[in-house]
Amino acid sequence: MNKKAVIVLSGGLDSTTCMGIAKAEGYDLYPITFHYGQRHNREVEQAVEVGKYYGVADHRIVDLNFLKDIGGSALTDEKVEVPTEAEEGIPVTYVPARNMIFLSLASAYAEVIGATAVYTGVSAVDYSGYPDCRPEFIQSMEETINLATKAGVTGKNISVETPLISLSKKETIEKGLSLEVPYDLTTSCYNGKEAACGQCDSCVLRLKGFKEAGAADPITYEI
């Protein structure tokens, strides 16, 4: 049997790079995408296109609208504006406990299908200061997953793979380009329009990464 990996696929640059890496590492790909009422829900549509590009047989789209009901983030509350300037501390685009919830559900899916790995595109280098992108969180989460699952307690551990965690955005893009990752199918803008704004934190990091990698960003921007 081929080895299986669950990919937490948002439709953004980082998670799509993880798809390319997992494929290169010989895994059968099982993407899982979360629709959590994010204002940039266009990324869900792009995730579907990425799944088609990689020819996946099963792409799960999971409704987590309760995250919008909870609010507490500029990405889930329309009354909170997405900032266009860097903020001190944890920014308003942080979604409370998002990665903890995503990894919990992804690990449940992995256990059901017999996957040995869950890939997530977190980075502790070029990121927005989110606490759930830190290596210590990932390490703790992996330990918890294997303490809390049948797979873990019967010796079939699930690893949480974070191949981008120590890479800059430039290095991530260089890695993705070497694997022919379809960046033209991705979106990173927090505002979720057809043309990316080019001003939100996510757009700024993406544009900076492509510039430093000496490559053209294939998506369209308003600016």
Coordinates of all heavy atoms in Angstrom, one line a residue, residues 124-210:
A124 N 7.7 29.8 11.0 CA 8.1 30.5 12.1 C 9.0 31.7 11.7 O 9.6 32.3 12.6 CB 8.7 29.6 13.2
V125 N 9.2 31.9 10.4 CA 10.2 32.9 9.9 C 9.4 34.1 9.4 O 9.3 35.1 10.0 CB 11.1 32.3 8.9 CG1 12.1 33.3 8.4 CG2 11.9 31.1 9.5
D126 N 8.9 33.9 8.1 CA 8.1 35.0 7.5 C 6.6 34.7 7.8 O 5.9 34.1 7.0 CB 8.3 35.1 6.0 CG 9.6 35.8 5.7 OD1 10.1 36.5 6.6 OD2 10.0 35.7 4.5
Y127 N 6.2 35.2 8.9 CA 4.8 35.0 9.3 C 4.3 36.2 10.1 O 5.1 37.2 10.3 CB 4.6 33.7 10.1 CG 5.0 33.8 11.6 CD1 4.2 33.5 12.6 CD2 6.4 34.1 11.9 CE1 4.6 33.6 13.9 CE2 6.8 34.2 13.2 CZ 5.9 33.9 14.2 OH 6.3 34.0 15.5
S128 N 3.1 36.2 10.5 CA 2.5 37.4 11.1 C 2.5 37.5 12.6 O 1.9 38.4 13.2 CB 1.0 37.6 10.6 OG 1.0 37.6 9.2
G129 N 3.2 36.6 13.2 CA 3.3 36.6 14.7 C 2.2 35.7 15.4 O 1.9 35.9 16.6
Y130 N 1.6 34.8 14.6 CA 0.6 34.0 15.2 C 1.2 32.9 16.2 O 2.1 32.2 15.8 CB -0.2 33.2 14.1 CG -0.9 34.1 13.1 CD1 -1.0 33.7 11.8 CD2 -1.4 35.4 13.4 CE1 -1.7 34.5 10.8 CE2 -2.0 36.2 12.5 CZ -2.1 35.7 11.2 OH -2.8 36.5 10.3
P131 N 0.6 32.8 17.4 CA 1.2 31.8 18.3 C 1.1 30.4 17.9 O 1.9 29.5 18.3 CB 0.4 32.1 19.6 CG -0.9 32.7 19.1 CD -0.5 33.5 17.9
D132 N 0.1 30.1 17.0 CA -0.1 28.7 16.5 C 0.7 28.3 15.3 O 0.4 27.4 14.6 CB -1.6 28.4 16.3 CG -2.3 29.3 15.4 OD1 -1.6 30.3 14.9 OD2 -3.5 29.2 15.2
C133 N 1.8 29.1 15.0 CA 2.7 28.8 14.0 C 4.1 28.5 14.5 O 5.1 28.3 13.8 CB 2.9 30.0 13.0 SG 1.4 30.2 11.9
R134 N 4.2 28.4 15.9 CA 5.5 28.2 16.5 C 5.9 26.7 16.6 O 5.0 25.9 16.8 CB 5.5 28.8 17.9 CG 5.3 30.4 17.9 CD 5.2 30.9 19.3 NE 4.1 30.3 20.0 CZ 3.9 30.2 21.3 NH1 4.8 30.7 22.1 NH2 2.8 29.7 21.8
P135 N 7.2 26.4 16.5 CA 7.6 25.0 16.6 C 7.2 24.3 17.9 O 6.8 23.2 17.9 CB 9.1 25.1 16.5 CG 9.4 26.4 15.8 CD 8.3 27.3 16.2
E136 N 7.2 25.1 19.0 CA 6.8 24.4 20.3 C 5.3 24.1 20.3 O 4.9 23.1 20.9 CB 7.1 25.4 21.4 CG 6.6 26.8 21.4 CD 7.6 27.8 20.8 OE1 8.2 27.4 19.8 OE2 7.7 28.9 21.4
F137 N 4.5 24.8 19.6 CA 3.1 24.4 19.4 C 2.9 23.2 18.6 O 2.2 22.2 19.0 CB 2.2 25.5 18.8 CG 0.9 25.1 18.3 CD1 -0.1 24.7 19.1 CD2 0.7 24.9 16.9 CE1 -1.3 24.2 18.7 CE2 -0.5 24.5 16.4 CZ -1.5 24.1 17.3
I138 N 3.6 23.1 17.5 CA 3.6 21.9 16.6 C 4.0 20.7 17.3 O 3.4 19.6 17.3 CB 4.4 22.1 15.3 CG1 3.8 23.3 14.5 CG2 4.4 20.9 14.5 CD1 2.4 23.1 14.0
Q139 N 5.1 20.8 18.1 CA 5.7 19.6 18.8 C 4.7 19.2 19.9 O 4.4 18.0 20.0 CB 7.0 20.0 19.5 CG 7.6 18.9 20.3 CD 8.9 19.3 20.9 OE1 9.4 20.4 20.7 NE2 9.5 18.5 21.7
S140 N 4.1 20.1 20.6 CA 3.1 19.8 21.6 C 1.8 19.2 21.0 O 1.3 18.2 21.5 CB 2.7 21.0 22.4 OG 1.6 20.8 23.2
M141 N 1.4 19.7 19.8 CA 0.2 19.2 19.2 C 0.4 17.8 18.7 O -0.5 16.9 18.8 CB -0.2 20.1 18.0 CG -1.5 19.9 17.5 SD -2.8 20.3 18.7 CE -4.3 19.6 17.9
E142 N 1.6 17.5 18.1 CA 1.9 16.1 17.6 C 1.9 15.1 18.8 O 1.3 14.0 18.7 CB 3.2 16.1 16.9 CG 3.6 14.7 16.4 CD 4.9 14.7 15.7 OE1 6.0 14.4 16.4 OE2 5.0 14.9 14.5
E143 N 2.4 15.5 19.9 CA 2.4 14.7 21.1 C 1.0 14.4 21.5 O 0.6 13.3 21.9 CB 3.2 15.3 22.2 CG 3.3 14.5 23.5 CD 4.1 15.1 24.6 OE1 4.7 16.2 24.3 OE2 4.1 14.5 25.7
T144 N 0.2 15.5 21.6 CA -1.2 15.3 22.0 C -2.0 14.4 21.1 O -2.8 13.6 21.5 CB -1.9 16.7 22.1 OG1 -1.2 17.5 23.1 CG2 -3.4 16.6 22.4
I145 N -1.8 14.6 19.8 CA -2.5 13.7 18.8 C -2.2 12.3 19.0 O -3.1 11.4 19.0 CB -2.1 14.1 17.3 CG1 -2.7 15.5 17.0 CG2 -2.5 13.1 16.3 CD1 -2.1 16.1 15.7
N146 N -1.0 12.0 19.3 CA -0.6 10.6 19.5 C -0.9 10.0 20.9 O -1.0 8.8 21.0 CB 0.9 10.4 19.1 CG 1.1 10.5 17.7 OD1 0.5 9.8 16.9 ND2 2.0 11.4 17.3
L147 N -1.2 10.9 21.8 CA -1.8 10.5 23.1 C -3.3 10.3 23.0 O -3.8 9.4 23.8 CB -1.4 11.5 24.2 CG 0.0 11.6 24.7 CD1 0.2 12.8 25.6 CD2 0.4 10.3 25.4
A148 N -3.9 11.0 22.1 CA -5.4 11.0 22.1 C -6.0 10.1 21.1 O -7.3 10.0 21.0 CB -5.8 12.4 21.9
T149 N -5.3 9.5 20.2 CA -5.9 8.7 19.1 C -5.6 7.2 19.3 O -4.6 6.8 19.9 CB -5.3 9.2 17.8 OG1 -3.9 9.0 17.8 CG2 -5.7 10.6 17.5
K150 N -6.5 6.4 18.7 CA -6.2 5.0 18.7 C -5.0 4.6 17.9 O -4.2 3.8 18.3 CB -7.4 4.3 18.0 CG -7.3 2.8 17.9 CD -8.5 2.2 17.2 CE -8.3 0.7 17.0 NZ -9.5 0.1 16.3
A151 N -4.8 5.4 16.8 CA -3.5 5.2 16.0 C -2.3 5.4 16.9 O -1.4 4.5 16.8 CB -3.5 6.1 14.8
G152 N -2.3 6.4 17.7 CA -1.1 6.7 18.5 C -0.8 5.7 19.5 O 0.3 5.2 19.7
V153 N -1.9 5.3 20.2 CA -1.7 4.3 21.4 C -1.5 2.9 20.9 O -1.1 2.0 21.7 CB -2.9 4.4 22.4 CG1 -3.0 5.8 23.0 CG2 -4.2 4.0 21.8
T154 N -1.7 2.6 19.6 CA -1.4 1.3 19.1 C -0.2 1.2 18.2 O 0.0 0.3 17.4 CB -2.7 0.8 18.3 OG1 -2.9 1.7 17.2 CG2 -3.9 0.6 19.1
G155 N 0.6 2.3 18.4 CA 1.9 2.3 17.7 C 1.9 2.7 16.3 O 2.9 2.6 15.5
K156 N 0.8 3.3 15.8 CA 0.7 3.8 14.4 C 0.7 5.4 14.5 O -0.2 6.0 14.1 CB -0.5 3.3 13.8 CG -0.5 1.8 13.7 CD -1.9 1.3 13.1 CE -1.9 -0.3 13.1 NZ -3.2 -0.8 12.7
N157 N 1.8 5.9 15.0 CA 1.9 7.4 15.2 C 1.6 8.2 13.9 O 2.0 7.8 12.8 CB 3.2 7.7 15.7 CG 3.4 7.5 17.2 OD1 2.5 6.8 17.8 ND2 4.4 8.0 17.8
I158 N 1.0 9.3 14.1 CA 0.7 10.3 13.1 C 1.7 11.5 13.3 O 1.7 12.1 14.4 CB -0.7 10.8 13.1 CG1 -1.7 9.7 12.9 CG2 -0.9 11.9 12.1 CD1 -3.1 10.0 13.2
S159 N 2.5 11.8 12.3 CA 3.5 12.9 12.4 C 2.9 14.1 11.9 O 2.1 14.1 10.9 CB 4.8 12.5 11.7 OG 4.6 12.4 10.3
V160 N 3.2 15.2 12.5 CA 2.8 16.6 11.9 C 4.0 17.1 11.2 O 5.0 17.5 11.8 CB 2.3 17.5 13.1 CG1 1.9 18.9 12.5 CG2 1.1 16.9 13.8
E161 N 3.9 17.2 9.9 CA 5.0 17.6 9.1 C 4.8 19.1 8.7 O 3.8 19.6 8.2 CB 5.0 16.8 7.8 CG 5.2 15.3 8.0 CD 6.5 14.9 8.5 OE1 7.5 15.7 8.3 OE2 6.6 13.9 9.2
T162 N 5.9 19.8 9.0 CA 5.9 21.3 8.8 C 7.2 21.6 8.0 O 8.1 22.2 8.5 CB 5.9 22.1 10.1 OG1 7.0 21.6 10.9 CG2 4.6 21.8 10.9
P163 N 7.2 21.3 6.7 CA 8.4 21.5 5.9 C 8.9 22.9 5.7 O 10.0 23.2 5.3 CB 8.1 20.8 4.6 CG 6.6 20.8 4.5 CD 6.1 20.6 5.9
L164 N 7.9 23.8 6.0 CA 8.2 25.3 5.7 C 8.6 26.0 7.0 O 8.9 27.2 6.9 CB 7.1 26.0 5.1 CG 6.4 25.2 3.9 CD1 5.3 26.1 3.3 CD2 7.4 24.9 2.8
I165 N 8.6 25.3 8.1 CA 8.6 26.1 9.4 C 9.8 26.9 9.6 O 9.8 28.0 10.3 CB 8.4 25.1 10.6 CG1 7.9 25.9 11.8 CG2 9.6 24.2 10.9 CD1 7.2 25.1 12.8
S166 N 11.0 26.5 9.0 CA 12.2 27.2 9.2 C 12.6 28.0 7.9 O 13.7 28.5 7.8 CB 13.3 26.3 9.7 OG 13.6 25.3 8.7
L167 N 11.7 28.0 7.0 CA 12.0 28.7 5.7 C 11.4 30.1 5.6 O 10.4 30.4 6.1 CB 11.5 27.9 4.5 CG 11.9 26.4 4.3 CD1 11.3 25.9 3.0 CD2 13.4 26.3 4.4
S168 N 12.2 31.0 5.0 CA 11.6 32.3 4.7 C 10.6 32.2 3.5 O 10.6 31.1 2.9 CB 12.7 33.3 4.3 OG 13.3 32.9 3.1
K169 N 9.8 33.2 3.3 CA 8.9 33.1 2.1 C 9.7 33.0 0.8 O 9.3 32.2 -0.1 CB 8.1 34.4 2.1 CG 6.8 34.3 1.2 CD 5.8 33.2 1.8 CE 5.1 33.8 3.0 NZ 4.1 32.9 3.6
K170 N 10.8 33.6 0.7 CA 11.7 33.4 -0.5 C 12.1 32.0 -0.6 O 12.0 31.4 -1.7 CB 13.0 34.3 -0.3 CG 14.1 34.0 -1.3 CD 15.3 34.9 -1.0 CE 16.5 34.5 -1.9 NZ 17.1 33.3 -1.5
E171 N 12.5 31.4 0.4 CA 13.0 30.0 0.4 C 11.8 29.0 0.1 O 12.0 28.0 -0.7 CB 13.7 29.6 1.7 CG 15.0 30.3 1.9 CD 15.5 30.1 3.3 OE1 14.7 30.0 4.2 OE2 16.8 30.1 3.5
T172 N 10.6 29.3 0.6 CA 9.5 28.5 0.3 C 9.1 28.6 -1.2 O 8.8 27.6 -1.8 CB 8.3 29.1 1.2 OG1 8.5 28.8 2.5 CG2 7.0 28.4 0.7
I173 N 9.1 29.8 -1.7 CA 8.8 30.0 -3.1 C 9.8 29.3 -4.0 O 9.5 28.6 -5.0 CB 8.7 31.5 -3.5 CG1 7.4 32.0 -2.8 CG2 8.7 31.7 -5.0 CD1 7.4 33.6 -2.8
E174 N 11.1 29.4 -3.7 CA 12.2 28.7 -4.4 C 11.9 27.2 -4.4 O 12.1 26.5 -5.5 CB 13.5 29.1 -3.9 CG 14.0 30.5 -4.2 CD 15.3 30.9 -3.5 OE1 15.6 30.2 -2.5 OE2 15.9 31.8 -3.9
K175 N 11.6 26.7 -3.3 CA 11.3 25.2 -3.1 C 10.1 24.9 -4.0 O 10.1 23.9 -4.7 CB 11.0 24.9 -1.7 CG 10.7 23.4 -1.4 CD 11.9 22.5 -1.6 CE 11.6 21.1 -1.2 NZ 12.7 20.2 -1.5
G176 N 9.1 25.7 -3.9 CA 7.9 25.4 -4.7 C 8.1 25.4 -6.2 O 7.6 24.6 -7.0
L177 N 8.9 26.4 -6.7 CA 9.1 26.6 -8.1 C 9.9 25.4 -8.6 O 9.7 24.9 -9.7 CB 9.9 27.9 -8.4 CG 9.1 29.2 -8.2 CD1 10.0 30.4 -8.3 CD2 8.0 29.3 -9.1
S178 N 10.8 24.8 -7.7 CA 11.6 23.7 -8.1 C 10.7 22.4 -8.3 O 11.1 21.5 -9.0 CB 12.7 23.4 -7.1 OG 12.2 22.8 -5.9
L179 N 9.6 22.4 -7.6 CA 8.6 21.3 -7.7 C 7.5 21.6 -8.6 O 6.5 20.8 -8.7 CB 8.1 21.0 -6.3 CG 9.2 20.5 -5.3 CD1 8.5 20.4 -3.9 CD2 9.8 19.2 -5.7
E180 N 7.5 22.7 -9.3 CA 6.5 23.1 -10.3 C 5.1 23.3 -9.6 O 4.1 22.8 -10.1 CB 6.4 22.2 -11.5 CG 7.7 22.2 -12.3 CD 7.6 21.3 -13.5 OE1 6.6 20.5 -13.6 OE2 8.5 21.3 -14.3
V181 N 5.1 23.8 -8.4 CA 3.9 24.1 -7.6 C 3.1 25.1 -8.4 O 3.6 26.2 -8.8 CB 4.2 24.6 -6.2 CG1 3.0 25.1 -5.5 CG2 4.8 23.4 -5.4
P182 N 1.8 24.9 -8.6 CA 1.0 25.9 -9.4 C 0.6 27.1 -8.6 O -0.6 27.3 -8.2 CB -0.3 25.0 -9.7 CG -0.4 24.1 -8.5 CD 1.0 23.8 -8.1
Y183 N 1.5 28.0 -8.5 CA 1.2 29.3 -7.7 C 0.2 30.1 -8.4 O -0.5 31.0 -7.7 CB 2.5 30.1 -7.5 CG 3.4 29.4 -6.5 CD1 4.8 29.3 -6.7 CD2 3.0 28.9 -5.3 CE1 5.7 28.7 -5.8 CE2 3.8 28.4 -4.3 CZ 5.1 28.3 -4.6 OH 6.0 27.7 -3.7
D184 N 0.0 29.9 -9.7 CA -1.1 30.7 -10.4 C -2.5 30.3 -9.9 O -3.4 31.1 -10.1 CB -1.0 30.5 -11.9 CG -1.1 29.0 -12.3 OD1 -0.4 28.2 -11.7 OD2 -2.0 28.7 -13.2
L185 N -2.6 29.2 -9.3 CA -3.9 28.7 -8.8 C -4.2 29.2 -7.3 O -5.2 28.9 -6.8 CB -4.0 27.2 -8.9 CG -3.9 26.6 -10.3 CD1 -4.1 25.1 -10.2 CD2 -5.0 27.2 -11.2
T186 N -3.2 29.8 -6.7 CA -3.3 30.1 -5.3 C -3.7 31.5 -5.1 O -3.7 32.4 -6.0 CB -1.9 29.9 -4.6 OG1 -1.0 30.9 -5.1 CG2 -1.4 28.5 -4.8
T187 N -4.2 31.8 -3.8 CA -4.5 33.2 -3.4 C -4.0 33.4 -2.0 O -4.0 32.4 -1.2 CB -6.0 33.4 -3.5 OG1 -6.3 34.8 -3.1 CG2 -6.8 32.5 -2.6
S188 N -3.6 34.6 -1.7 CA -3.1 34.8 -0.4 C -3.7 36.0 0.3 O -3.6 36.2 1.5 CB -1.5 35.1 -0.4 OG -0.8 34.0 -0.9
C189 N -4.5 36.8 -0.5 CA -5.0 38.1 0.0 C -6.1 37.8 1.1 O -7.0 37.1 0.9 CB -5.6 38.9 -1.2 SG -6.2 40.5 -0.7
Y190 N -6.0 38.6 2.2 CA -7.0 38.5 3.2 C -8.3 39.1 2.8 O -9.4 38.8 3.5 CB -6.5 39.2 4.5 CG -5.4 38.4 5.2 CD1 -4.4 39.1 6.0 CD2 -5.4 37.0 5.2 CE1 -3.5 38.4 6.7 CE2 -4.4 36.3 5.9 CZ -3.4 37.1 6.7 OH -2.5 36.4 7.4
N191 N -8.4 39.9 1.8 CA -9.6 40.6 1.5 C -10.5 39.7 0.5 O -11.6 40.0 0.3 CB -9.3 41.9 0.8 CG -8.9 43.0 1.9 OD1 -9.7 43.3 2.8 ND2 -7.6 43.4 1.8
G192 N -9.9 38.7 -0.1 CA -10.7 37.7 -0.8 C -11.3 38.2 -2.1 O -12.2 37.6 -2.7
K193 N -10.7 39.3 -2.7 CA -11.2 39.7 -4.0 C -10.5 38.9 -5.1 O -9.5 38.2 -4.9 CB -11.0 41.2 -4.2 CG -11.7 42.1 -3.2 CD -11.3 43.5 -3.4 CE -11.9 44.4 -2.3 NZ -11.6 45.8 -2.5
E194 N -11.1 39.0 -6.4 CA -10.5 38.3 -7.5 C -9.1 38.8 -7.7 O -8.2 38.0 -8.0 CB -11.4 38.5 -8.7 CG -10.9 37.7 -9.9 CD -11.8 37.7 -11.1 OE1 -13.0 38.2 -10.9 OE2 -11.4 37.2 -12.2
A195 N -8.9 40.1 -7.6 CA -7.5 40.6 -7.7 C -7.0 40.9 -6.3 O -7.7 41.5 -5.5 CB -7.5 41.9 -8.5
A196 N -5.8 40.4 -6.0 CA -5.3 40.6 -4.6 C -5.0 42.1 -4.3 O -4.6 42.8 -5.3 CB -4.0 39.8 -4.4
C197 N -5.2 42.5 -3.1 CA -5.1 43.9 -2.8 C -3.6 44.4 -2.8 O -3.4 45.6 -3.1 CB -5.7 44.2 -1.4 SG -4.7 43.6 0.0
G198 N -2.7 43.5 -2.5 CA -1.3 43.9 -2.5 C -0.9 44.7 -1.3 O 0.3 45.1 -1.2
Q199 N -1.8 44.9 -0.3 CA -1.5 45.8 0.8 C -1.6 45.1 2.2 O -1.0 45.6 3.1 CB -2.4 47.0 0.8 CG -2.2 47.9 -0.5 CD -3.1 49.1 -0.5 OE1 -4.2 49.1 0.1 NE2 -2.6 50.2 -1.1
C200 N -2.4 44.1 2.3 CA -2.6 43.4 3.5 C -1.3 42.6 3.9 O -0.4 42.4 3.0 CB -3.7 42.4 3.5 SG -3.5 41.0 2.4
D201 N -1.1 42.2 5.1 CA 0.1 41.6 5.5 C 0.5 40.4 4.7 O 1.6 40.1 4.3 CB 0.0 41.2 7.0 CG 1.3 40.8 7.6 OD1 2.3 41.5 7.4 OD2 1.3 39.7 8.3
S202 N -0.5 39.6 4.4 CA -0.3 38.4 3.6 C 0.2 38.7 2.2 O 1.1 38.0 1.7 CB -1.6 37.5 3.6 OG -1.4 36.3 2.9
C203 N -0.4 39.6 1.6 CA 0.0 40.0 0.2 C 1.4 40.6 0.3 O 2.3 40.3 -0.6 CB -0.9 41.1 -0.3 SG -2.5 40.5 -1.0
V204 N 1.7 41.4 1.3 CA 3.1 42.0 1.4 C 4.1 41.0 1.5 O 5.2 41.0 0.9 CB 3.1 43.0 2.6 CG1 4.5 43.5 2.9 CG2 2.2 44.3 2.2
L205 N 3.9 40.0 2.4 CA 4.9 38.9 2.6 C 5.0 38.1 1.3 O 6.2 37.7 0.9 CB 4.4 38.0 3.7 CG 4.6 38.5 5.1 CD1 3.9 37.5 6.1 CD2 6.1 38.6 5.5
R206 N 3.9 37.8 0.6 CA 4.0 37.1 -0.6 C 4.8 37.8 -1.7 O 5.7 37.3 -2.3 CB 2.6 36.8 -1.1 CG 2.6 36.0 -2.5 CD 1.1 35.7 -2.9 NE 1.1 35.2 -4.2 CZ 0.5 34.0 -4.6 NH1 -0.2 33.4 -3.7 NH2 0.5 33.6 -5.8
L207 N 4.5 39.1 -1.9 CA 5.2 39.9 -2.9 C 6.7 40.0 -2.6 O 7.5 39.9 -3.5 CB 4.5 41.3 -3.0 CG 3.2 41.3 -3.7 CD1 2.5 42.7 -3.5 CD2 3.3 41.1 -5.2
K208 N 7.0 40.2 -1.3 CA 8.4 40.3 -0.9 C 9.1 39.0 -1.2 O 10.2 39.0 -1.7 CB 8.4 40.6 0.6 CG 9.8 40.6 1.2 CD 9.7 41.1 2.7 CE 11.1 41.0 3.4 NZ 11.4 39.6 3.7
G209 N 8.5 37.9 -1.0 CA 9.1 36.6 -1.2 C 9.4 36.3 -2.7 O 10.5 35.9 -3.0
F210 N 8.4 36.7 -3.6 CA 8.6 36.5 -5.0 C 9.8 37.4 -5.5 O 10.6 37.0 -6.3 CB 7.4 36.7 -5.8 CG 6.5 35.5 -6.0 CD1 5.4 35.3 -5.2 CD2 6.8 34.6 -6.9 CE1 4.6 34.2 -5.3 CE2 6.0 33.4 -7.1 CZ 4.9 33.2 -6.3

